[in-house]
Amino acid sequence: MPPDPFVSGLVLAAGGSSRLGRPKQLLPYGGATLLESVLATARECRFDQLLVALGGGADQIRDAVDLSGAEVLVNDA
């Protein structure tokens, strides 16, 4: 009998938003922020592992968004 599959979800939220001037991940969307809305959808998928890639504005995003249940990876470049 083959083992149960292990499924990871990856949220790519590392854009620096240099032209916008503020993190687009924090823009209002559907009563929350854009990133919170994406994370809510990802959590409903019940992935075995949920990864979130952050980049520019990572500290500001961490302060504003509930990232619980996700492994956060930061790309400083």
Side-chain angles (χ1 to χ4, degrees), residues 3-69:
D4 290 335
F6 184 89
V7 181
S8 296
L10 174 60
V11 175
L12 300 175
S17 307
S18 58
R19 290 177 293 176
L20 184 61
R22 62 183 180 137
K24 67 182 101 178
Q25 300 88 334
L26 300 180
L27 290 175
Y29 181 81
T33 66
L34 181 59
L35 181 55
E36 287 168 331
S37 295
V38 170
L39 287 172
T41 300
R43 287 180 178 121
E44 288 176 9
C45 295
R46 302 195 182 277
F47 291 114
D48 296 305
Q49 177 185 40
L50 180 58
L51 303 166
V52 178
L54 298 178
D59 291 335
Q60 188 178 357
I61 294 165
R62 283 182 192 260
D63 290 342
V65 175
D66 177 11
L67 297 167
S68 62

